[in-house]
Amino acid sequence: FYSPSCAKNYGYVWVWDSFRATAGDYDVTAAIYSGSQDEVLGKRSWTNTTAQEFWSAGTNTVTECTSAVGSVRKAGDPTPVSGHSSTRC
């Protein structure tokens, strides 16, 4: 997500109601991937949460090609499920 008022990019994760209804608690990450820097930036993490909406920290990557990245790991699962947006330049 690009915020014109902040001039920053943000990663965003929304956890579906159907997942929340059966998962118990879960761990979530949200961040921005910069292809120019080949780095994950602005990463924020939450553990043992049942919240639905998550935002990364803002990143100064407006002039770069970026993707939002995120993951969700249900309690008891050994690894998270991750995803990413399309790249925006």
Side-chain angles (χ1 to χ4, degrees):
F1 172 79
Y2 169 65
S3 170
S5 61
C6 298
K8 294 187 180 208
N9 288 325
Y10 293 83
Y12 177 74
V13 174
W14 176 267
V15 180
W16 288 16
D17 288 335
S18 57
F19 178 86
R20 293 176 69 221
T22 62
D25 61 14
Y26 39 88
D27 303 337
V28 177
T29 66
I32 292 290
Y33 171 74
S34 166
S36 305
Q37 299 179 49
D38 191 26
E39 295 284 341
V40 173
L41 306 168
K43 183 177 180 180
R44 293 182 65 204
S45 301
W46 298 263
T47 55
N48 303 321
T49 185
T50 57
Q52 188 162 43
E53 183 176 21
F54 304 89
W55 291 88
S56 73
T59 62
N60 294 315
T61 55
V62 176
T63 61
E64 303 174 25
C65 294
T66 59
S67 300
V69 295
S71 69
V72 178
R73 188 194 68 82
K74 185 167 81 171
D77 286 352
T79 59
V81 175
S82 61
H84 62 88
S85 70
S86 59
T87 299
R88 305 283 307 241
C89 295

